[in-house]
Amino acid sequence: MRVTFWGTRGSLAKPGPETVRYGGNTSCVQVVTRAGTLVVLDCGTGAHALGQQLTAGDGAVQGHILISHTHWDHIQGLPFFAPLFAPGHSWDVWGPRGLGDSLQTTLAGQMQYTYFPVTLEALRADVRYHDLLEGSFRLGEVEVRTRYLNHPALALAFRLEADGASMVYVCDHEPHAPEIAAGRGPLVGQDRAHADFLSEADLVIHDAQYTAQEYASKVGWGHSTLEYAVRVCREANVRRLALTHHDPLRTDDALDDLMEDLLAEHGADFEFFAAREGQVIEVEGVIAPERRASAGTLTSPPAERSVTPVHATALLALSDSPEARLLAEALEADGIGRVTCEGAHPPVCYEAEEPGLVILGGGEAGLEACREIRALGGAAAEVPVLLIGRTTGEVPGPGEWLRPPFTAEYARSRIRAWLLRVESRWKRAAEPPGERERLAALRRLAVLDTEPDERFDRLARLAAGLLGAPISLVSLVDHDRQWFKSRVGLGVEETSRDESFCAHVILGQDAMVVPDALEDDRFAHNPLVVGPPHVRFYAGCPLTLPDGNTLGTLCVLDTRPRQLSAEQRGLLRDLADLVEEELARS
């Protein structure tokens, strides 16, 4: 893999005479495999120069952008990334989804009219958006694995393995235990898990914004120290470490001085350096594949899946304190239900409520309550537990210490990360064969985003009436959404493709019937099921043109579980045939 640094500055772009050698642009790294697969890690201001280079040559560019998180210094280059504005180019954008808005909605925020003259919808390239959580997925021959970082927003680290080599990208991340920031002491708990994720990598690009001395006044800001990055990578048996996300106040000379001191203390038997803008590194695998393959194995659900918390309820077993009030506010801000013990023993409260997250007071009492919850077995053995306090020690099972003082933003990110680690029963539909041709056929019809048409509305009304369904739709599946040419009983004109039942139907030529969405692993935690309109029943028939392209469905939905008789299935198919005839005439 060839790695090129286009932006190495953290928090704020700082070009100028004092940052010439290490660079002033914010985070952006380009990775190209031997087979030519292009991956861009983060899209800070450094992405502008990368985009200019990519569009300088002949031909369309196809690539992937992996966004670690959506803080401005990691996405501000997106509106200036030229390949997104050029027709014929094809890009997939991947990044973490929170508990609410999708990645696409979040990225569109910085390009609203108030802030920027061009909207996200004006991009002329073929751009697809994908929401991620912890797990693994593939980009061609590249295996990508993700892990949540310790930051005041949901952020992901990316581990890329291809061409017999492995590299890990870590921006932005703070030590879980503040005392390890100086690079001393044992790695335990989540710091040990972080090291496991880096284990045996040929190259790690790691946040190192602060020194250990500076970190004392920056606790909770979500960034690593140089000393921590060196320590954790040495313990993880990393081959080479590139320190990045340089503080915007750090001049080239100051960074030289820091590196000279750090190399004198730690560089005798470990290769590390401060990343420079424009620097190119060839990453070759030298670590035995069988060792690298087992490093930091993830057991979470696949990354390429839209997410919603399985049990968006937290047990808050904490005596009245500023921390308890802050945590209650954090739960309320994200719409997470809160259960309190009201003097009862936490394990008793857990058995009564079975929440998706447990927050306990620290100290030995909290540790003992955690052990007792684990002893209940079943889901209790794996429920995430946050222990609040300054006590050290291993958290039994999944969870971590949250050490005061912390901000509401920091608490929200930790709560979100642990809730999203819970197994989610919601699967994105695969892309059908011939997707490019299918989308081209949909465009040729010129029916997307058109005014209501009585030809289709009449058929949707008939479907609702004949099948006794409160909702009926003529749904057309676009590249990142489903748009309703006709709708009965539903107020919105479109939803994301990730949430679409119809995206599953177009994979074949048969009708799909879901008697109870809550009992189906593909849909149980879909936002359209757990939230409005609270779909429980779905039945859809594919809409296929004479040329063989399936564009969408005629479907009916209900808010109660039910079935269709054989006669009703036949009626749905007959009505779908009529919709197909009208589409062919369009």
Side-chain angles (χ1 to χ4, degrees), residues 158-186:
F158 298 105
R159 182 178 180 118
L160 278 61
E161 299 191 356
D163 301 337
S166 61
M167 64 153 292
V168 186
Y169 178 80
V170 181
C171 283
D172 303 8
H173 178 69
E174 179 171 354
H176 290 268
E179 58 270 16
I180 203 70
R184 295 185 293 272

Side-chain angles (χ1 to χ4, degrees), residues 161-501:
E161 299 191 356
D163 301 337
S166 61
M167 64 153 292
V168 186
Y169 178 80
V170 181
C171 283
D172 303 8
H173 178 69
E174 179 171 354
H176 290 268
E179 58 270 16
I180 203 70
R184 295 185 293 272
L187 292 181
V188 297
Q190 290 302 303
D191 287 310
R192 165 52 57 193
H194 180 62
D196 289 343
F197 185 75
L198 309 179
S199 181
E200 310 285 353
D202 297 299
L203 173 68
V204 169
I205 302 170
H206 202 292
D207 174 9
Q209 183 158 340
Y210 303 128
T211 65
Q213 185 176 8
E214 293 165 342
Y215 177 73
S217 62
K218 312 290 186 182
V219 173
W221 288 31
H223 295 288
S224 290
T225 64
L226 292 92
E227 294 87 348
Y228 173 80
V230 170
R231 166 64 195 287
V232 75
C233 286
R234 288 188 66 163
E235 188 137 338
N237 197 29
V238 168
R239 180 187 171 201
R240 283 189 293 178
L241 165 63
L243 301 166
T244 191
H245 211 271
H246 310 313
D247 193 279
L249 298 178
R250 193 94 64 211
T251 66
D252 287 336
D253 290 342
L255 194 48
D256 282 340
D257 291 341
L258 284 179
M259 291 304 301
E260 183 178 348
D261 293 341
L262 199 64
L263 286 164
E265 184 175 357
H266 300 287
D269 57 352
F270 179 52
E271 182 181 351
F272 60 90
F273 54 91
R276 300 171 182 263
E277 195 172 308
Q279 185 175 8
V280 179
I281 300 173
E282 297 289 346
V283 183
E284 298 179 354
V286 297
I287 297 172
E290 64 273 12
R291 294 175 62 193
R292 182 167 54 244
S294 63
T297 300
L298 295 175
T299 57
S300 302
E304 189 185 345
R305 182 183 298 176
S306 300
V307 290
T308 192
V310 176
H311 302 294
T313 304
L315 170 63
L316 184 59
L318 197 64
S319 59
D320 185 47
S321 64
E323 290 77 26
R325 292 189 288 273
L326 186 150
L327 287 162
E329 292 171 4
L331 293 170
E332 183 178 358
D334 276 330
I336 301 167
R338 173 166 54 97
V339 178
T340 56
C341 284
E342 303 293 339
H345 196 39
V348 176
C349 296
Y350 178 85
E351 280 193 292
E353 301 292 340
E354 294 190 349
L357 176 71
V358 176
I359 305 175
L360 302 172
E364 285 302 319
L367 281 169
E368 181 57 31
C370 181
R371 296 186 189 101
E372 291 180 26
I373 290 173
R374 297 282 182 242
L376 296 173
E382 297 297 326
V383 65
V385 176
L386 289 179
L387 284 168
I388 312 301
R390 296 180 178 84
T391 307
T392 59
E394 293 280 358
V395 176
E400 66 176 299
W401 288 95
L402 191 56
R403 292 176 170 84
F406 48 80
T407 64
E409 293 77 15
Y410 188 81
R412 288 175 70 179
S413 75
R414 305 319 304 152
I415 290 169
R416 288 179 175 196
W418 283 107
L419 278 173
L420 293 173
R421 281 177 167 133
V422 179
E423 179 70 37
S424 178
R425 295 168 63 206
W426 173 20
K427 297 178 181 178
R428 175 188 288 117
E431 186 175 283
E435 175 68 353
R436 186 179 296 273
E437 292 76 14
R438 190 191 72 81
L439 290 173
L442 180 59
R443 298 286 186 275
R444 286 194 298 271
L445 282 183
V447 294
L448 291 173
D449 301 306
T450 55
E451 294 297 318
D453 188 325
E454 180 61 21
R455 296 178 300 156
F456 297 100
D457 291 346
R458 181 185 300 114
L459 294 170
R461 291 194 301 269
L462 283 170
L466 290 172
L467 302 177
I471 300 173
S472 177
L473 306 167
V474 175
S475 173
L476 300 175
V477 180
D478 201 357
H479 79 286
D480 60 357
R481 61 172 179 160
Q482 62 172 350
W483 180 78
F484 306 128
K485 178 57 184 169
S486 184
R487 63 188 194 278
V488 173
L490 191 66
V492 298
E493 294 182 344
E494 63 182 54
T495 74
S496 78
R497 184 166 173 172
D498 291 351
E499 299 170 359
S500 170
F501 285 60

Side-chain angles (χ1 to χ4, degrees), residues 129-149:
Y129 300 88
H130 310 274
D131 301 314
L132 296 176
L133 52 86
E134 278 190 350
S136 61
F137 60 107
R138 296 192 70 85
L139 304 177
E141 78 281 14
V142 184
E143 180 182 351
V144 183
R145 300 160 68 196
T146 61
R147 187 176 194 278
Y148 285 121
L149 297 172

Side-chain angles (χ1 to χ4, degrees), residues 456 459-465 467 469-477 482-490 500-503 505 511-514 528 535 537-543 552-558 562 564 571-573 575-576 579:
F456 297 100
L459 294 170
R461 291 194 301 269
L462 283 170
L467 302 177
I471 300 173
S472 177
L473 306 167
V474 175
S475 173
L476 300 175
V477 180
Q482 62 172 350
W483 180 78
F484 306 128
K485 178 57 184 169
S486 184
R487 63 188 194 278
V488 173
L490 191 66
S500 170
F501 285 60
C502 302
V505 179
M512 182 180 82
V513 178
V514 180
L528 302 179
V535 176
F537 165 81
Y538 172 92
C541 267
L543 301 173
T553 75
L554 172 66
C555 61
V556 292
L557 300 83
D558 207 332
R562 51 177 289 195
L564 286 186
L571 285 171
L572 183 61
R573 179 67 266 176
L575 291 170
V579 175

